[in-house]
Amino acid sequence: MIPGRMLHPLRNPTGKRMTLVEFQMALDAWLIAPYRWVSPASAGFLFGTLVLVIQSLVLGRLCLAGLEKVQRRLRQTIETEVADRQSLSLKAISVQDKTAYLAQNDLAQEAYGRSMGLSLGRICASFWPAVMALAWMKSRFSDAPLPFPVTRSGEPLTVSYALVFILLYLAVWMVIRTIKRLIERDRLA
């Protein structure tokens, strides 16, 4: 590292750009660290997965906020077009102009389809970190059976890493949603 220079997050200690392999190794070290903070291993797995879930939710929310900011004007334009086309199609049907109704209705459906495409993009922006976290967990935990504190025929049952992640993801998401609703209710009161 060059003396007196801060290390850039995407540069290795020598100051050169990280290769993809170096970046993957650094990311893996970042993601696995919380799993090693708590002992025994089962508690460490739950804690590490909880931290990974929180990181996924925060990153997803940041991506969603950025995408909403970028798409705001386009979304407003499309939603206005949908409302206008729907209003014109209803006016056309009220005067019994079937041709105008069908034309406006087709245009309204096209605009609605574009609106749904933007919504799908927002959904993807918020969930991609969770999908990537599950892919990383597969590379780390797919061969390790996770014992479940229940036995069947004397043998402990095992649970998938994905099930643990998804259940924790839903639980944390519901807690965050509840907190946001309480804050909104207090703000309105």
Side-chain angles (χ1 to χ4, degrees):
M1 188 162 110
I2 301 168
R5 221 173 132 192
M6 285 186 54
L7 183 61
H8 188 277
L10 295 179
R11 297 196 184 276
N12 62 23
T14 63
K16 294 181 182 177
R17 277 190 176 267
M18 282 187 174
T19 65
L20 184 57
V21 172
E22 289 173 329
F23 178 73
Q24 288 173 329
M25 291 174 61
L27 184 61
D28 182 66
W30 169 268
L31 295 175
I32 199 65
Y35 287 86
R36 296 178 177 154
W37 292 344
V38 177
S39 196
S42 58
F45 175 77
L46 288 175
F47 179 76
T49 304
L50 179 64
V51 170
L52 188 62
V53 161
I54 292 169
Q55 290 172 341
S56 297
L57 282 165
V58 168
L59 182 58
R61 185 63 188 131
L62 290 172
C63 290
L64 178 62
L67 188 62
E68 284 177 344
K69 184 175 177 119
V70 168
Q71 288 182 345
R72 182 175 295 132
R73 189 172 299 158
L74 179 60
R75 191 178 77 233
Q76 289 171 345
T77 303
I78 290 174
E79 288 173 357
T80 301
E81 182 182 356
V82 168
D84 291 346
R85 298 293 181 188
Q86 183 180 15
S87 174
L88 289 172
S89 68
L90 292 174
K91 284 180 185 176
I93 204 155
S94 69
V95 296
Q96 298 180 350
D97 186 355
K98 186 175 182 178
T99 307
Y101 166 75
L102 291 174
Q104 289 300 325
N105 197 35
D106 284 344
L107 292 172
Q109 287 178 359
E110 183 181 319
Y112 185 72
R114 288 195 310 261
S115 175
M116 288 294 103
L118 291 177
S119 296
L120 183 60
R122 289 192 302 273
I123 290 169
C124 291
S126 64
F127 284 122
W128 77 265
V131 173
M132 297 304 284
L134 281 169
W136 174 80
M137 287 183 79
K138 180 180 182 193
S139 73
R140 279 299 197 146
F141 301 112
S142 64
D143 297 334
L146 305 169
F148 194 63
V150 175
T151 60
R152 182 179 66 187
S153 304
E155 288 189 32
L157 294 177
T158 59
V159 65
S160 165
Y161 65 90
L163 178 65
V164 173
F165 180 88
I166 291 169
L167 291 176
L168 281 174
Y169 189 94
L170 291 173
V172 171
W173 181 78
M174 287 190 289
V175 166
I176 290 171
R177 187 181 68 173
T178 303
I179 291 170
K180 284 171 67 174
R181 284 184 178 173
L182 290 173
I183 291 171
E184 285 294 321
R185 188 183 65 185
D186 288 346
R187 192 180 323 169
L188 295 174

